[in-house]
Amino acid sequence: MQIAKLLQAEKVLNPTSYKRREGIKSPSPETADPYHWNTNTVVHILERREYTGCTVNFKTYTNSIWDKKQRETPIDKQAVFYNTHPAIIEQEVFDKVQEIRQQRHRRTKTGKSSLFSGMVYCADCGAKMRYCTNNYFEKR
């Protein structure tokens, strides 16, 4: 969400508006604000390994020719071909982004985030512990 807000503040065209400006057809409808970025768009961009210069094949599969539902192939069974085109982002940076995305630092309504957010689990049930705060606490 923070990246989407930053892109919108810097007046960067979203992918649909960019394609239309370049004369490329896009199945997405044109938005009223060409600089509005959807958070899901940013998430999909951050998760694509193709930006590291590799080609990824067999990302989805179907059980049979009658079952039309696409299912995700596990990452270890996907065919990855490295250095097939120039990389936009280095592999180390991509790996760091994936690590950060797995941790999920949730902010509370007050805007605070715990140092241990997404890292501490309940000893009894194994669920993630949440950081809770309130505007009414004294600041001592």
Side-chain angles (χ1 to χ4, degrees), residues 51-67:
Y51 292 116
T52 62
C54 62
T55 300
V56 183
N57 289 342
F58 310 113
K59 291 194 264 185
T60 60
Y61 71 96
T62 56
N63 282 334
S64 68
I65 59 172
W66 295 283
D67 182 17

Side-chain angles (χ1 to χ4, degrees), residues 46 49 51-53 82-83 87-100:
L46 291 175
R49 284 191 286 173
Y51 292 116
T52 62
Y82 296 97
N83 300 321
I88 296 174
I89 187 169
E90 295 85 25
Q91 184 67 40
E92 298 83 30
V93 175
F94 179 80
D95 293 338
K96 183 68 176 172
V97 167
Q98 302 314 308
E99 182 182 321
I100 291 170

Side-chain angles (χ1 to χ4, degrees), residues 7 15 37-51 89 94 97-98:
L7 290 170
W37 279 79
N38 190 337
T39 55
N40 291 334
T41 304
V42 176
V43 167
H44 290 300
I45 290 172
L46 291 175
E47 291 176 348
R48 302 252 341 226
R49 284 191 286 173
E50 288 83 350
Y51 292 116
I89 187 169
F94 179 80
V97 167
Q98 302 314 308

Side-chain angles (χ1 to χ4, degrees), residues 92-128:
E92 298 83 30
V93 175
F94 179 80
D95 293 338
K96 183 68 176 172
V97 167
Q98 302 314 308
E99 182 182 321
I100 291 170
R101 287 197 34 75
Q102 291 298 321
Q103 291 179 357
R104 293 277 175 121
H105 291 282
R106 242 173 233 233
R107 297 197 185 281
T108 61
K109 290 183 181 180
T110 60
K112 296 178 183 175
S113 177
S114 171
L115 176 67
F116 303 108
S117 179
M119 295 170 38
V120 181
Y121 294 87
C122 176
D124 297 328
C125 67
K128 283 186 181 179

